Amino acid sequence: MSAPNPRPTTTGGAPLRVALLGCGVVGTEVVRLLTTQAAELASRVGAPLELVGVAVRDVSAPRDAVVDRALLTTDAEALVDRADVVVEVMGGIEPARGLLLRALRGGASVVTANKALLAQDGPTLYAAADAAGVDLYFEAAVAGAIPIVRPVRESLVGDRVRRVLGIVNGTTNYVLDRMATDGLDLAAAVAEAQALGYAEADPTADVEGHDAAAKAAILASLAFHTRVRLDDVDRTGITGLTAQDVAWAARTGHVLKLLAVAEQVDGPDGGALDVHVRPALVPAGHPLAGVRGAFNAVFVEAEAAGELMFYGRGAGGAPTSSAVLGDVVSVARHRVLGGRGPVESSYAELPVQDPGLARSRFQLRLEVDDRPGVLAQVASELAERGISIEAVQQTVEPDGAAGAAVLVLTTHTATAAALHATVEALRDLDAVRDVVSVLSVLRVEEP
Ligand code: NDP
Ligand code: HSE
């Protein structure tokens, strides 16, 4: 049973003290909304929200004029101790983790955008919130401005979610889009995403898929009532992709996207979860294919609701601050009116499936000798491992090597393990000069 809220509920319109941890891309915009919309927020909450301090690393660093420098402090612990609501937008594991636990244990409600921390140690935070009877909200942690945590955690909780497909990292979507439409190389496109405030402090977290994997873990936990941690997510980023991969995607009627996928697959005792992040070929007609730039989208397939798509700005200071403020109002209302938001739901305890057993369609691009019998040899290697071919395309590229052809094979659904074994066998064939790329193809459900 949850403990009662140890701090008295605010009554009579007394201000709620808000502490902000972090004042960077997101924090600055949180200050802007708290300041410029103070009157409206007070009306919506039923009490004023008073920003009592802003913890940063360097109080002397230049800041946007909206930030009252008198509120800046490096003593985050002291700040947390005098707050009713703690908003964490500093990022990283420590000191964020210690500060949030301190806040929760002290009876403050917490709003955080920190997906890395939630994916690594969410259950500890939930437990602390539960013990103190306070709220832990994190809408901004997944897909920036898009309301997706609340819909999955609350609106769809009466349904059975079957699969969640997300473009949940703005930086990589921006990068892939710039590569596809303007021919930029990966490094140049990443630099642009950094300048626009989309990328993490270390953009490796974006391009190697760690950020998307954290969001996948959070969404999977919520959708399937199971604790899924960052390490449970099978992850591949976009650094192995080339301009040719992006161009070939278009030639075969697809768009390359970094997808975060969480799916309940059949099996004994309720089945298992397949949770992964990897580049995938999305058929050009699928709604996710049209998600451009730093926009995000989450496509949810649920038994009763059918297909739903949540779309919007997935990164950037102002969009993310919208999600943060939505949470601040929610937790503040609870403090004024009483009650709490949802607690952790992990009763299902589904196992996470071995990645080798995960099933997908695949597209293989091979450079082969352009001579009779080669296609038959390649097809035979697939058939030997039970992999059925759905489509074949062969071309001789004007700028290709002498005597070589490009063979693009799309398979029906196969396990990752069978596919990898086939790729190894293909590499051993004399007629195969190179297995240039192996990509998943999104499985589209029939309506
Ligand atoms: P920034 O790097 O722009 O800002 C981080 C802020 O936290 C800075 O003000 C920094 O202080 C402060 N800070 C960092 N470490 C400490 C510390 N040890 N003690 C005190 N203050 C500290 O990050 P973002 O605003 O981009 O991101 C913040 C969080 O929001 C992250 O968890 C991120 O994943 C998440 N997020 C970001 C989105 C985005 O589009 N940027 C979107 C959704 C979520 P100082 O200013 O002195 O350096
Ligand atoms: N770096 C993240 C992204 C920020 O590019 O999506 C939003 O979580």
Side-chain angles (χ1 to χ4, degrees):
M1 188 189 287
S2 297
N5 185 341
R7 286 192 189 171
T9 299
T10 304
T11 54
L16 281 164
R17 298 160 298 172
V18 178
L20 184 63
L21 308 182
C23 193
V25 171
V26 179
T28 303
E29 298 309 314
V30 170
V31 174
R32 196 181 312 284
L33 290 189
L34 280 171
T35 309
T36 59
Q37 300 185 13
E40 286 148 287
L41 292 169
S43 301
R44 291 171 197 173
V45 168
L49 299 175
E50 184 193 352
L51 182 60
V52 293
V54 180
V56 292
R57 271 179 302 219
D58 179 2
V59 290
S60 60
R63 309 264 164 202
D64 188 291
V66 78
V67 180
D68 176 357
R69 302 193 76 87
L71 292 176
L72 297 176
T73 176
T74 53
D75 192 348
E77 290 190 349
L79 176 59
V80 159
D81 289 347
R82 58 193 171 91
D84 300 300
V85 176
V86 172
V87 178
E88 187 268 309
V89 284
M90 60 175 25
I93 304 301
E94 290 293 354
R97 179 180 179 280
L99 290 167
L100 293 192
L101 287 174
R102 185 181 181 104
L104 293 164
R105 288 171 184 154
S109 306
V110 161
V111 173
T112 177
N114 194 334
K115 54 263 170 161
L117 175 58
L118 288 161
Q120 185 168 309
D121 213 8
T124 306
L125 296 176
Y126 273 125
D130 217 30
V134 294
D135 281 329
L136 171 64
Y137 271 52
F138 47 89
E139 184 61 70
V142 184
I146 305 174
I148 184 64
V149 168
R150 202 174 265 99
V152 174
R153 182 149 94 142
E154 299 185 51
S155 317
L156 289 167
V157 76
D159 203 341
R160 277 201 193 118
V161 173
R162 300 302 308 182
R163 185 165 72 150
V164 180
L165 303 166
I167 295 173
V168 290
N169 182 266
T171 301
T172 46
N173 204 55
Y174 180 86
V175 167
L176 292 174
D177 197 29
R178 293 286 278 146
M179 287 171 77
T181 53
D182 302 301
L184 247 68
D185 68 24
L186 192 115
V190 170
E192 282 191 1
Q194 280 180 290
L196 290 164
Y198 305 145
E200 295 301 301
D202 175 2
T204 314
D206 297 294
V207 292
E208 294 294 358
H210 298 282
D211 177 77
K215 293 163 178 170
I218 295 169
L219 284 178
S221 301
L222 297 174
F224 299 107
H225 305 275
T226 291
R227 285 181 178 171
V228 179
R229 290 191 165 88
L230 187 57
D231 290 347
D232 295 320
V233 183
D234 186 44
R235 173 191 54 79
T236 306
I238 65 165
T239 47
L241 298 179
T242 63
Q244 267 201 332
D245 293 327
V246 174
W248 267 100
R251 285 173 73 168
T252 59
H254 296 92
V255 182
L256 249 182
K257 296 289 184 193
L258 185 71
L259 288 190
V261 177
E263 178 173 14
Q264 186 168 355
V265 291
D266 291 339
D269 302 326
L273 294 181
D274 171 11
V275 190
H276 66 257
V277 168
R278 70 176 73 110
L281 292 163
V282 177
H286 192 278
L288 289 173
V291 178
R292 305 279 314 271
F295 278 78
N296 282 192
V298 183
F299 196 81
V300 180
E301 297 166 1
E303 274 186 20
E307 296 176 343
L308 305 118
M309 181 149 121
F310 302 83
Y311 170 83
R313 292 185 193 279
T320 306
S321 70
S322 164
V324 171
L325 260 291
D327 280 354
V328 169
V329 169
S330 294
V331 304
R333 279 176 173 161
H334 291 151
R335 295 189 81 92
V336 171
L337 300 170
R340 283 178 71 197
V343 298
E344 184 184 26
S345 172
S346 60
Y347 70 89
E349 294 181 354
L350 293 168
V352 175
Q353 178 181 254
D354 173 348
L357 300 176
R359 298 184 69 80
S360 175
R361 293 164 66 220
F362 293 95
Q363 190 182 89
L364 307 178
R365 197 166 86 248
L366 315 177
E367 189 182 291
V368 297
D369 289 346
D370 187 16
R371 59 180 164 79
V374 172
L375 180 56
Q377 282 181 47
V378 169
S380 149
E381 293 296 345
L382 277 91
E384 210 171 283
R385 291 163 187 86
I387 301 177
S388 167
I389 298 173
E390 184 187 296
V392 179
Q393 190 175 338
Q394 182 170 337
T395 60
V396 174
E397 297 294 289
D399 55 353
V406 173
L407 195 56
V408 179
L409 302 166
T410 307
T411 73
H412 285 292
T413 308
T415 65
L419 196 277
H420 290 142
T422 306
V423 167
E424 290 311 307
L426 291 174
R427 289 191 202 281
D428 288 341
L429 290 181
D430 287 343
V432 175
R433 299 184 182 194
D434 191 13
V435 179
V436 186
S437 85
V438 180
L439 290 165
S440 284
V441 182
L442 175 65
R443 192 187 78 242
V444 177
E445 297 294 336
E446 293 306 320

